[in-house]
């Protein structure tokens, strides 16, 4: 519980991956304050509902603005904030259930717009807050409270989904790599378009995958996480798909399209063509 938010009497379970993501996000905001010479109040965190969404109340130190929204609707709220205040840096924090289940329908339209927001997704492959139901990224056949005889669906590959829908910046990470994650979130916030940083953030209570991600090098067991090679060209979409097809959890920037115009640039362009909606002009437009 943050001293700054004593009215929120909840906390994460010991060892929850979200602690690492929180440290990275705090570090990224602090670095951004230095780089942009803008105050912390220029940042807004839009949270979904879930243990991950509680991040908005648990950030320590100087506080960004926070908006704890409703389950699955971080993107529409973020769009509203960004349209009202384009000068603000808007960051979404949400879980795999929130963003990829109920909220999945919002990703495609914002990818098409290239909305200038950053989404930090904490993927624990489970609905943590509601006590362990299966989520879109839960592996097939996993027994959970909502799939007592095993999950009957294939798991979703979120990175492939983002690439397919045309998200212009896609990065992947794990919550234990705080330093790398801090730098990646920073780069994502600088990206002029829709950026998603998808983080494997294990749930120590309902789906503890820390050991699986790390492996056991001493016993020759490779971990699921591996570094994106230095010669990977993130501007090459085919190479990005190939990278994701290698499986496991790549750590680093998978795809980055710097050429596409952002939604804000498109709106600015439209505004140069628009005119005042005067009554006489509107009536003229209907007359034959
Ligand atoms: C519209 C709506 N549907 C369902 C819920 C119940 N609910 C709250 S959090 C949650 C899932 C959380 O899972 P995830 O987004 O993965 O976050 P985590 O707790 O794992 O971080 C659900 C189904 C809700 N609050 N609102
Ligand atoms: S239930 Fe899981 S995701 Fe939620 S706080 Fe506990 S460890 Fe973290
Ligand atoms: Mg989850």
């Amino acid at each position: 519980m943050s001293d700054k938010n004593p009215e929120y009497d909840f906390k994460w379970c010991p060892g929850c991956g979200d602690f690492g993501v929180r440290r990275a996000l705090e570090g990224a905001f602090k670095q951004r304050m230095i780089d942009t010479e803008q105050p912390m109040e220029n940042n807004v965190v839009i949270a979904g509902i879930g243990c991950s969404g509680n991040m908005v109340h648990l950030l320590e130190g100087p506080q960004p603005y926070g908006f704890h929204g409703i389950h699955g609707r971080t993107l529409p709220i973020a769009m509203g904030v960004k349209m009202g205040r384009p000068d603000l840096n808007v960051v979404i924090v949400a879980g795999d259930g929130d963003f990829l289940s109920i909220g999945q329908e919002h990703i495609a339209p914002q990818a098409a717009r290239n909305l200038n927001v950053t989404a930090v997704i904490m993927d624990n492959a489970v609905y943590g807050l509601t006590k362990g139901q299966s989520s879109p990224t839960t592996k097939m056949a996993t027994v959970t409270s909502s799939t007592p005889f095993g999950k009957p669906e294939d798991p979703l590959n979120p990175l492939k989904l983002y690439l397919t829908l045309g998200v212009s910046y896609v990065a992947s990470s794990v919550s234990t790599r705080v330093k790398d994650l801090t730098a990646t979130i920073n780069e994502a916030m600088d990206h002029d378009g829709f950026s998603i940083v998808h983080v494997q953030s294990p749930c120590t209570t309902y789906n503890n995958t820390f050991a699986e991600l790390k492996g056991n090098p001493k016993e020759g067991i490779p971990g699921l996480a591996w570094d994106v090679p230095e010669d990977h060209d993130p501007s090459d979409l085919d190479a990005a798909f190939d990278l994701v097809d290698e499986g496991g959890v790549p750590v680093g920037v998978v795809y980055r399209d710097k050429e596409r115009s952002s939604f804000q640039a498109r709106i600015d362009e439209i505004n140069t063509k628009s005119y005042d909606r005067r009554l006489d002009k509107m009536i003229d437009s209907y007359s034959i």
Side-chain angles (χ1 to χ4, degrees):
M1 179 171 66
S2 166
D3 290 344
K4 296 212 174 235
N5 298 291
E7 70 269 32
Y8 289 99
D9 187 17
F10 58 76
K11 51 185 181 291
W12 289 321
C13 309
C16 176
D18 295 354
F19 284 106
V21 184
R22 182 185 77 171
R23 271 172 58 211
L25 186 60
E26 284 164 357
F29 279 142
K30 281 186 195 143
Q31 189 58 46
R32 190 175 170 84
M33 278 169 67
I34 297 166
D35 295 344
T36 62
E37 296 183 6
Q38 301 275 347
M40 184 58 95
E41 299 84 70
N42 262 55
N43 300 299
V44 187
V45 178
I46 312 285
I49 304 293
C51 298
S52 38
N54 287 337
M55 169 93 78
V56 68
H57 305 293
L58 298 170
L59 289 169
E60 302 284 351
Q63 296 285 298
Y65 280 103
F67 192 130
H68 205 163
I70 49 175
H71 193 51
R73 310 298 174 216
T74 51
L75 277 167
I77 295 168
M79 182 175 177
V81 173
K82 194 70 193 174
M83 291 299 92
R85 287 288 305 272
D87 55 311
L88 299 180
N89 175 43
V90 177
V91 176
I92 285 165
V93 290
D96 47 307
D98 188 293
F99 201 69
L100 296 169
S101 187
I102 185 173
Q104 194 191 120
E105 68 199 22
H106 297 293
I107 303 172
Q110 301 306 357
R113 293 182 181 116
N114 205 13
L115 184 73
N116 329 37
V117 301
T118 299
V120 177
I121 305 306
M122 282 151 272
D123 186 355
N124 50 18
V126 76
Y127 288 2
L129 187 71
T130 46
K131 297 186 180 289
Q133 297 85 0
S134 74
S135 87
T137 52
T138 307
K139 280 190 215 143
M140 194 164 111
T142 306
V143 172
T144 72
S145 56
S146 60
T147 55
F149 304 106
K151 185 189 171 195
E153 295 109 10
D154 291 326
L156 176 81
N157 184 324
L159 301 177
K160 231 180 213 180
L161 177 76
Y162 305 148
L163 294 175
T164 305
L165 295 180
V167 177
S168 61
Y169 180 105
V170 178
S172 164
S173 195
V174 287
S175 63
T176 44
R177 301 275 294 263
V178 176
K179 206 168 154 219
D180 296 332
L181 184 54
T182 305
T184 306
I185 294 174
N186 233 307
E187 189 183 273
M189 293 193 297
D190 280 344
H191 176 73
D192 193 20
F194 189 13
S195 54
I196 300 182
V197 182
H198 193 91
V199 190
Q200 296 300 316
S201 180
C203 167
T204 42
T205 299
Y206 297 109
N207 189 25
N208 193 341
T209 52
F210 275 117
E212 216 180 315
L213 286 164
K214 196 171 166 216
N216 190 337
K218 274 190 198 153
E219 292 182 14
I221 304 167
L224 279 181
W226 50 279
D227 288 324
V228 171
E230 280 188 11
D231 62 356
H232 171 64
D233 175 5
S235 68
D236 182 340
L237 185 58
D238 290 334
F241 272 109
D242 288 345
L243 192 90
V244 171
D245 275 340
E246 286 182 37
V249 178
V251 177
V253 179
V254 173
Y255 183 63
R256 180 176 50 219
D257 182 349
K258 289 182 172 174
E259 306 304 318
R260 271 175 73 202
S261 57
S262 68
F263 189 51
Q264 193 55 51
R266 297 172 196 194
I267 291 293
D268 290 346
E269 165 78 17
I270 287 170
N271 281 340
T272 64
K273 298 176 191 158
S274 67
Y275 49 81
D276 291 341
R277 287 173 71 80
R278 281 183 10 223
L279 188 61
D280 54 341
K281 282 197 174 171
M282 282 174 72
I283 292 171
D284 276 356
S285 71
Y286 290 119
S287 50
I288 303 165

